[in-house]
Amino acid sequence: MKLLHVITSMDPKMGGVCQAVRSIAVGLSQLDVINEVLSLDAPDASFLSTDPLKIHALGPARGPWAYSAAITPWLLEKVTTYDVVIVHGLWQFHSFAVGKALQLLRRDIAAKAFIPKMFVMPHGMLDPYFQRAAGRKIKAIRNWAYWKVIEADVVNRADGLLFTCDEERNLAREPFRPYHPAHELVVGLGVEEPPKYRDQLVQQFRAHCLGGSNDKFILFLSRIHEKKGVDLLLNSSKNTKHSKHNLVVAGPGLETTYGISMKKIVDESNAPVTFVGMLSGDIKWGAFYGCEAFILPSHQENFGIAVVEALACCKPVLISNQVNIWREVKDGGGGLVANDTLEGADELLSLWTSATADEKKDMAARARLIYEKNFAVGPAAQRLLTAIST
């Protein structure tokens, strides 16, 4: 099978969706599926020269819609050489362009010999949070209008929607009408096995980010963004009863208005928090392996790749019940779950503080089992391949 993934950007700095595409491609390649990517990155983007995936970069995309005049002609010429197309993400030009190109080809009698199947993987972009969150009223109206004019047609004409978990599928049914996809397929998402634990990984992280300190710490690794609940975590960390918990906050966004306000919380409270910026490679894995636990009190998280990476490293995860895989974590006993509120963040830290050493050790063992059962690359790739081949 030859598969085309279509996405706005594969720049690793974008995280989330492009990281998911890479994980999917790794798993499918082990099942002899050929994976190629069509993105709207600039052809001279620096990461393209070292990326192992074959990426057709037709950007740079223009404006908030991420428009590119090159994508439709390319699709009309090339898309019939693929067996399946998966559109990753919604609300931008790439999903409209794929739907439009396939619609044009279906009208073309000469091209009707073979038209590839098209699936849409929303990656949480149909979550009702984005329609209900305070501060997004104008964007919610815009999305509703865009759904009526464009996106409903893309979603409902697709051969199916691919979801990472049951929670994502259920939430996607709430915000928009008409909503009647041909199939709703829960395929999961595999996350690659981390490198084996080595003392050097932890030492490298500590030397690079903590000045060589050997103090215990809890790790937050995600974008410094309001949606991630960073303010809840930092305000909770000001509480003196949590003062023995050093918190390491890793991720991009500290230079934004929100990021600057987060730094101010720490500066004014003298809370035991260290900002270390975006981490990658061995230093990132050293952070995972070096932490006591991973924490993410997010207001909305479709999947949470970093959560799964922590589970894979045998680390308990402390998450909100707005992280869509919270049920797997709770049922598997690999972490703690609370509301996405200040009280919830405080509860997570308090429960972790009160847990015994044996309880923490048991959570760590169960964390790894949750990864192996639900999020390993091989089983997830097989589920996806079965879904798109049926």
Side-chain angles (χ1 to χ4, degrees), residues 166-181:
D166 290 331
E167 186 79 355
E168 182 194 4
R169 176 197 59 194
N170 296 339
L171 288 171
R173 296 169 177 169
E174 296 182 19
F176 299 106
R177 296 291 183 272
Y179 177 80
H180 46 78

Side-chain angles (χ1 to χ4, degrees), residues 251-370:
L254 197 58
E255 76 289 349
T256 65
T257 301
Y258 180 77
I260 292 169
S261 69
M262 295 302 98
K263 185 69 164 57
K264 186 177 180 181
I265 290 175
V266 174
D267 291 342
E268 292 179 349
S269 66
N270 208 23
V273 178
T274 303
F275 294 98
V276 297
M278 182 175 175
L279 303 181
S280 61
D282 285 351
I283 293 177
K284 182 187 84 168
W285 293 115
F288 277 120
Y289 280 124
C291 72
E292 278 195 289
F294 175 89
I295 190 163
L296 183 65
S298 185
H299 296 299
Q300 190 278 330
E301 202 72 33
N302 176 55
F303 183 78
I305 289 177
V307 177
V308 177
E309 289 176 333
L311 294 170
C313 292
C314 302
K315 296 300 175 179
V317 295
L318 319 179
I319 60 175
S320 77
N321 55 12
Q322 300 306 305
V323 177
N324 282 352
I325 60 171
W326 70 269
R327 286 187 174 85
E328 287 85 345
V329 169
K330 185 176 181 179
D331 293 346
L336 303 171
V337 179
N339 293 330
D340 62 323
T341 60
L342 179 58
E343 294 77 14
D346 195 65
E347 180 183 346
L348 290 175
L349 292 174
S350 296
L351 288 173
W352 180 254
T353 300
S354 62
T356 66
D358 284 342
E359 287 172 335
K360 291 177 179 179
K361 185 177 179 180
D362 182 61
M363 271 191 273
R366 290 174 179 272
R368 177 65 193 186
L369 293 176
I370 293 170

